[in-house]
Amino acid sequence: MRLDLTAAEPLPFIQAGQFLHLEVPDKSLILRRPFCIYDHDEFSVTTYAAIVGRGTASLAGVKPGAVLKAILPLGNGFDISKYKNIGFLGGGMGCAELYSAAKAGAAAGKNIYAYFGFASKNRVLFESDFKSVAKKTVICTDDGSYGVKGYPISELKKDIKNLDAVLICGPHGLVKSAGREFENEQIPAFVSMEQRMACGVGACLVCTCAVKEGTEIKNKRVCMDGPVFNLRDIVIG
Amino acid sequence: MNLKVNIAGVELKNPIITASGTFGFGREYSQFYDLSVLGGICTKGVTREPRQGNPSPRIAETSSGILNSVGLQNPGVDAFLKNEGEFLKSLNTVIIVNIAGSTAEDYCYVADRVSASDADMVELNISCPNVKAGGIAFGIEPKSVEAITKLVKSHCKKPLIVKLSPNVASISENAKAAECGGADALSLINTLTGMAIDWRTRKPILKNITGGLSGPCIKPVALRMVHDAYKAVKIPIIGMGGIASAEDIMEFMIAGASAIQIGTVNFYDPNAGIRLVNELTSLLKNSKIDDVNSVIGTLTDL
C-alpha cells in the first residue's frame, strides 16, 4: 500500500534512509510503526508498506483527510557522499527503503545501478521509479515470470568491478546471501535493518540487533544506531 | 496550589516519575522537553556487569498494551555512574537509580556503588520477569522479599524503594515483607507475565517466549494491587501500571499512592511527562484541590 502524508508544518532535513514512525487508526494499537520514507518534499512524505497485521490493515482502510501523528525523521540513514558508482540490492518491499537514496544520489550526479528481486511478476514494484534515476535497473523474479530468473545478488556480482559501494535492503535470506557473497570482496556495503520497535527514539532497547564491535558482539538499536549498518558488522542468524 | 510530594524524606516537585526501562538514562527524551518539569526519573535497571539483554524480537503488541522481553541490557553500574552521572545530575529532577542482580552479592555490590553516588534514591528491582538467571527468584516468596530487602538496605545509604512484582500469590504479603525488611517505600506494579503467538508460524512472537505486559490494559490490576498494598503497609507507595492521563493519576493516588510512575505511555506520547504535569495541575485547579497530598488514600467505601 502507498500512503501520501502531508505535514502540518515544514519538515526538517531528511537524510535518505531515515524512517517515519507513524501511529495507526486502530486506537487499540498504541504503538507507532516504522515505515520507510520513500520520497518527500518540504511538506509531504510518501511511504510504501506491506499489509502484515492489524496495524497496517487499519492504515490500508484510512480515509483521505485523516490525521495521524508521527515522529520523523528517525535513524541514521545512508551516507553515500563518498561514492560515485553505487549498487542497490533489494528484495520485495525492501526496495522501497532504497529509493530515496537512489533519487538523491542521481540528483547529486552519482551513477545508480539497481538489482531487485521479487517472488513473481505480480509482485514487482517500483521499477519505473528506479528506471527514472538509475543507469541500469535489473529486475529478477524467483519464478522467472518477469525479468531475469534468479536472485539479484548474482546480477550485481557481474557488475561489481564497476561499483564503489552497495546499499542493501530486503528479506533475511537476501541479507544473509549478501553477507556471504561480499565476505571476500572489499566493496563497502551497507544494509538497512528492520526490527519490531516501541519508542523509536532509542530509549527502550526493544529494537536491537546483534552487531560486531571489535572482538565483541553488542546489541545495537535499529531505531537510533541504525537502521543502516555496515553489512559485515551484522550478525546474521 | 501544592504539587510537591515527599517520599521517604525526599521531596519531589510533583508526583510524576518516569518508570525504569522506558526512559533510558534520560538522554533521548531530554530532546523532546525539559526533564526538570518531572517529579523524578527512574533509570534503566543497572547490574554489576554490563549485560546485552535477551535476543530479539523483544516486543509484541497487544490490545491497549505491549509485551516486552528486553532483559536487563545495561552498561553495568560502573560504566553507568561514570558516563551518565553528570548528565542525570544536570536534569534538575530527583534521580532514582533502579538496581538489579542475579545474586544477593551482586545486589550489594551495586547498592554500595550507587550509595556513593549523587543518586537521590534507589529502586530495588526484584521483580523483573525477563531474566532467567535471577531477579524473579527474589521477588516471589514473601520470605525472600524480606531477606533481599534487608540485605540491600544494609548496603544502601539512600532511601530504598522496593519494586514489587504482580506475579505473586499475595501482593499484601509481599508488601508487608518488604516493609519488614526495611523498605522506605514501595513501587508497584511491575509487568505481568504474558505471551503472544504468531499463528501462521506457530511460534511465540517473543524470542524469549514470555514477556512483561504493560500499558493501559493493566491499569485495573495495578489499581487493585496498589490499594491492597496501601491497606497492608504504612510506608509510602509509588503506583504504576497503564497511567496515561491526569485522571489515571488521581485514581492511583486515591487508591493510596503518594506518587506515580509513567512508563509505556512514553512510547506512544513522547511528551507524556510534561503533558501530564500540566494536565494534573489543571485538573487539581478545576477540582479546587489545593494540595495533591490531600488526595492520597482517600478511597471511600460505597
Short mmCIF file of all heavy atoms in Angstrom, two decimals, chain A residues 18 20 23 41 47 56 60 62 80 94 97 100 108 129 133 159 162 171 174 179 203 208 213 225 237:
data_model
loop_
_atom_site.label_atom_id
_atom_site.label_comp_id
_atom_site.label_asym_id
_atom_site.label_seq_id
_atom_site.Cartn_x
_atom_site.Cartn_y
_atom_site.Cartn_z
N GLN A 18 16.51 7.52 6.36
CA GLN A 18 15.87 7.73 7.65
C GLN A 18 14.42 7.27 7.54
O GLN A 18 13.88 7.17 6.45
CB GLN A 18 15.95 9.19 8.07
CG GLN A 18 17.36 9.62 8.50
CD GLN A 18 17.36 10.99 9.13
OE1 GLN A 18 17.06 11.99 8.47
NE2 GLN A 18 17.70 11.06 10.41
N LEU A 20 10.16 6.95 9.08
CA LEU A 20 8.98 7.60 9.63
C LEU A 20 8.37 6.69 10.68
O LEU A 20 8.29 5.48 10.48
CB LEU A 20 7.99 7.79 8.46
CG LEU A 20 6.51 8.03 8.75
CD1 LEU A 20 6.31 9.47 9.17
CD2 LEU A 20 5.70 7.74 7.49
N GLU A 23 1.64 6.53 13.76
CA GLU A 23 0.59 5.83 14.51
C GLU A 23 -0.43 5.26 13.52
O GLU A 23 -0.47 5.64 12.35
CB GLU A 23 -0.10 6.75 15.51
CG GLU A 23 -0.98 7.82 14.90
CD GLU A 23 -1.77 8.63 15.93
OE1 GLU A 23 -1.67 8.36 17.13
OE2 GLU A 23 -2.50 9.55 15.49
N ASP A 41 9.03 15.92 0.21
CA ASP A 41 9.45 17.29 -0.05
C ASP A 41 9.21 18.07 1.23
O ASP A 41 9.04 17.47 2.29
CB ASP A 41 8.76 17.88 -1.28
CG ASP A 41 7.26 17.95 -1.14
OD1 ASP A 41 6.74 18.00 0.00
OD2 ASP A 41 6.57 17.93 -2.18
N THR A 47 5.18 6.89 1.67
CA THR A 47 5.73 5.63 2.12
C THR A 47 5.00 4.47 1.43
O THR A 47 3.85 4.62 1.01
CB THR A 47 5.66 5.48 3.65
OG1 THR A 47 6.31 4.26 4.01
CG2 THR A 47 4.22 5.40 4.14
N THR A 56 -1.18 -2.35 10.04
CA THR A 56 -1.10 -1.98 8.62
C THR A 56 -2.46 -2.18 7.96
O THR A 56 -2.82 -1.42 7.05
CB THR A 56 -0.01 -2.78 7.90
OG1 THR A 56 -0.01 -4.13 8.35
CG2 THR A 56 1.36 -2.17 8.17
N ALA A 60 -4.48 0.64 5.84
CA ALA A 60 -4.98 0.42 4.48
C ALA A 60 -6.40 0.95 4.33
O ALA A 60 -6.80 1.34 3.24
CB ALA A 60 -4.91 -1.06 4.14
N VAL A 62 -7.62 3.64 5.86
CA VAL A 62 -7.74 5.03 6.30
C VAL A 62 -8.34 5.90 5.20
O VAL A 62 -8.10 5.69 4.02
CB VAL A 62 -6.36 5.55 6.77
CG1 VAL A 62 -5.48 5.96 5.59
CG2 VAL A 62 -6.50 6.70 7.73
N ILE A 80 26.06 8.40 1.29
CA ILE A 80 26.68 7.99 0.02
C ILE A 80 27.58 9.07 -0.56
O ILE A 80 27.99 8.99 -1.72
CB ILE A 80 25.60 7.60 -1.01
CG1 ILE A 80 24.56 8.73 -1.17
CG2 ILE A 80 24.93 6.31 -0.61
CD1 ILE A 80 23.60 8.50 -2.32
N GLY A 94 11.55 -4.31 0.57
CA GLY A 94 12.81 -3.66 0.96
C GLY A 94 13.30 -2.67 -0.07
O GLY A 94 14.01 -1.71 0.26
N GLU A 97 12.77 1.07 0.60
CA GLU A 97 13.71 1.73 1.51
C GLU A 97 14.87 2.36 0.75
O GLU A 97 15.49 3.33 1.20
CB GLU A 97 14.21 0.69 2.53
CG GLU A 97 15.36 1.10 3.40
CD GLU A 97 15.02 2.18 4.42
OE1 GLU A 97 13.84 2.53 4.57
OE2 GLU A 97 15.97 2.67 5.06
N SER A 100 14.83 6.51 -1.91
CA SER A 100 15.22 7.89 -1.61
C SER A 100 16.72 8.10 -1.78
O SER A 100 17.16 9.17 -2.23
CB SER A 100 14.77 8.29 -0.20
OG SER A 100 15.37 7.47 0.76
N ALA A 108 22.63 14.11 -7.22
CA ALA A 108 23.97 14.58 -6.89
C ALA A 108 25.00 14.13 -7.92
O ALA A 108 26.20 14.25 -7.69
CB ALA A 108 24.37 14.07 -5.50
N ASP A 129 9.99 3.93 -11.16
CA ASP A 129 10.63 4.97 -10.36
C ASP A 129 12.15 4.81 -10.40
O ASP A 129 12.89 5.78 -10.58
CB ASP A 129 10.14 4.92 -8.90
CG ASP A 129 8.79 5.60 -8.72
OD1 ASP A 129 8.34 6.29 -9.67
OD2 ASP A 129 8.20 5.46 -7.64
N VAL A 133 15.80 7.08 -12.36
CA VAL A 133 17.00 7.64 -11.71
C VAL A 133 18.25 6.78 -11.91
O VAL A 133 19.37 7.24 -11.66
CB VAL A 133 16.80 7.88 -10.19
CG1 VAL A 133 15.71 8.91 -9.93
CG2 VAL A 133 16.51 6.59 -9.46
N ASP A 159 28.57 -7.02 -12.15
CA ASP A 159 28.99 -5.62 -12.36
C ASP A 159 29.84 -5.09 -11.23
O ASP A 159 30.16 -3.89 -11.19
CB ASP A 159 27.75 -4.71 -12.49
CG ASP A 159 26.92 -5.04 -13.70
OD1 ASP A 159 27.47 -5.65 -14.64
OD2 ASP A 159 25.71 -4.69 -13.71
N ASN A 162 32.57 -2.43 -11.34
CA ASN A 162 32.24 -1.04 -11.67
C ASN A 162 31.68 -0.25 -10.50
O ASN A 162 31.37 0.93 -10.64
CB ASN A 162 31.19 -1.01 -12.79
CG ASN A 162 31.67 -1.76 -14.01
OD1 ASN A 162 32.87 -1.85 -14.26
ND2 ASN A 162 30.75 -2.32 -14.77
N PRO A 171 14.62 -9.07 2.47
CA PRO A 171 14.33 -10.10 3.46
C PRO A 171 15.61 -10.75 4.00
O PRO A 171 16.70 -10.58 3.44
CB PRO A 171 13.50 -11.14 2.69
CG PRO A 171 13.30 -10.61 1.33
CD PRO A 171 14.15 -9.41 1.14
N LEU A 174 18.02 -12.54 1.66
CA LEU A 174 18.81 -11.68 0.78
C LEU A 174 20.00 -11.10 1.54
O LEU A 174 21.13 -11.10 1.04
CB LEU A 174 17.93 -10.56 0.21
CG LEU A 174 18.62 -9.57 -0.74
CD1 LEU A 174 17.69 -9.15 -1.87
CD2 LEU A 174 19.11 -8.34 0.00
N GLY A 179 25.75 -11.11 2.80
CA GLY A 179 26.84 -11.25 3.77
C GLY A 179 27.85 -12.28 3.32
O GLY A 179 29.06 -12.08 3.41
N ALA A 203 15.23 4.92 23.46
CA ALA A 203 15.18 4.87 24.92
C ALA A 203 14.87 3.49 25.50
O ALA A 203 15.28 3.17 26.61
CB ALA A 203 14.14 5.86 25.44
N THR A 208 16.67 -4.05 19.22
CA THR A 208 18.10 -4.29 18.99
C THR A 208 18.38 -5.40 17.99
O THR A 208 17.57 -6.30 17.77
CB THR A 208 18.80 -4.64 20.31
OG1 THR A 208 18.10 -5.73 20.91
CG2 THR A 208 18.81 -3.47 21.26
N GLU A 213 31.38 -5.42 17.25
CA GLU A 213 32.10 -4.20 17.60
C GLU A 213 33.47 -4.64 18.09
O GLU A 213 33.60 -5.08 19.23
CB GLU A 213 31.34 -3.42 18.67
CG GLU A 213 31.74 -1.97 18.79
CD GLU A 213 30.90 -1.21 19.80
OE1 GLU A 213 31.17 -1.37 21.01
OE2 GLU A 213 29.99 -0.46 19.38
N ASP A 225 20.94 3.65 16.45
CA ASP A 225 22.28 3.33 15.96
C ASP A 225 22.19 2.93 14.48
O ASP A 225 23.17 3.00 13.75
CB ASP A 225 22.89 2.18 16.77
CG ASP A 225 22.85 2.45 18.26
OD1 ASP A 225 23.23 3.57 18.66
OD2 ASP A 225 22.43 1.57 19.02
N GLY A 237 21.75 -14.49 11.67
CA GLY A 237 21.47 -15.87 12.10
C GLY A 237 20.98 -16.75 10.99
O GLY A 237 20.54 -16.28 9.96
#
